[in-house]
Amino acid sequence: QVQLVESGGGLVQAGDSLRLSCTASGRAFSNLRMRWFRQAPGKEREFVTAVSRSGDSTDYADSVKGRFTISRDNAKATVYLQMNSLKPEDTAVYYCAATSKVLHYWGQGTQVTVFS
C-alpha cells in the first residue's frame, strides 16, 4: 500500500543542523498522517514529531521542541524533519511513519550521529 524511504542522515558535530526527508509512494500522500520516530541502540523507539494531513497542525516531543521542525510537501509526497542545534543525545536511527486510519507503515530508517 505505502512505501516510505528516508534520506539525509549523516555524521555531524554538536550544534550543527541536518535535514531528513521521507518520500512516500503507493497512495495519495495527502491522506496520510506523518510522524517521525527515533531509536538509539539499546533503547525504546520514541516519538519525535507529527504533522497532520493538511500540514497545518504539528506536535513535538519535549526533547526536540524548539530545535526540530516537521513539514510536508504534498505535491512532492515528502515529509521533512529539519533538525537544528543537534546534541549527542539526538544520535539514533530516525524512522518515518505514515498512518491511514488503522494502518501504519514504517520506513527503513536513516542514521543520525552527533559528536561533541
Side-chain angles (χ1 to χ4, degrees), residues 18-98:
L18 206 58
R19 190 196 196 202
L20 306 183
S21 299
C22 173
T23 299
S25 63
R27 68 171 298 169
F29 184 70
S30 60
N31 291 332
L32 301 172
R33 291 170 50 83
M34 302 300 297
R35 295 176 173 87
W36 287 95
F37 293 79
R38 66 185 183 186
Q39 186 169 25
K43 297 183 178 180
E44 300 286 337
R45 187 171 298 187
E46 66 173 341
F47 168 80
V48 177
T49 182
V51 62
S52 64
R53 291 183 292 272
S54 67
D56 292 335
S57 180
T58 59
D59 190 24
Y60 297 91
D62 289 341
S63 60
V64 306
K65 186 172 294 185
R67 300 187 298 119
F68 290 11
T69 302
I70 188 172
S71 61
R72 65 190 295 162
D73 186 338
N74 287 347
K76 296 181 178 180
T78 301
V79 63
Y80 304 96
L81 180 61
Q82 179 66 47
M83 305 183 294
N84 298 327
S85 301
L86 283 163
K87 306 174 181 179
E89 51 263 44
D90 294 320
T91 295
V93 177
Y94 283 72
Y95 296 92
C96 177

